[in-house]
Amino acid sequence: MQDVQVGHEPFDSDFVIKGRDEGMLRALFANPKIRELIAQQKDIHFTVKDDEGWFGATFPEGVDELYFAVIGVIKDVERLKLLYELFSETLDQLCVIGSAQKTDPGVSM
């Protein structure tokens, strides 16, 4: 993976974006709402995990996991709402750019 500049300052200066497909990353982060929601978080790790499930279980072929990590426990309800919105907006944008499908992947946890 390489560091990618997504073409939006000051976002490019404030965050490290890594990935293999620069075009898809630029398309994902072209969405201003995603950049805004990420900017409202501090010290986060937001990524797509390739075909990994909880505790090493695997997902069906072609199904990946949108993953968020933060140190500590989040008790702030407003922050949790913003994270929910970040996931929702990101999943929607991934569908828009053709990197995700709106069909049910058939995964239960």
Side-chain angles (χ1 to χ4, degrees), residues 12-23:
D12 281 331
S13 297
D14 293 342
F15 296 94
V16 176
I17 306 299
K18 291 182 178 270
R20 290 181 288 257
D21 189 329
E22 186 172 334

Side-chain angles (χ1 to χ4, degrees), residues 21-65:
D21 189 329
E22 186 172 334
M24 286 298 246
L25 287 169
R26 285 180 175 271
L28 176 64
F29 290 104
N31 182 319
K33 186 69 174 175
I34 291 173
R35 295 191 314 271
E36 175 189 326
L37 289 165
I38 289 173
Q40 293 180 45
Q41 299 298 320
K42 59 179 185 173
D43 301 321
I44 67 168
H45 181 76
F46 189 55
T47 188
V48 173
K49 287 188 171 185
D50 186 29
D51 294 318
E52 295 176 18
W54 270 22
F55 307 110
T58 58
F59 292 144
E61 182 67 31
V63 175
D64 297 328
E65 176 183 21

Side-chain angles (χ1 to χ4, degrees), residues 62-98:
V63 175
D64 297 328
E65 176 183 21
L66 189 58
Y67 180 83
F68 167 83
V70 64
I71 295 173
V73 176
I74 300 173
K75 295 180 181 179
D76 180 349
V77 173
E78 288 306 311
R79 184 173 184 199
L80 290 170
K81 287 179 183 178
L82 290 171
L83 286 168
Y84 180 84
E85 189 175 353
L86 174 60
F87 269 78
S88 175
E89 192 70 29
T90 301
L91 289 169
D92 187 56
Q93 184 70 5
L94 288 170
C95 289
V96 167
I97 66 175

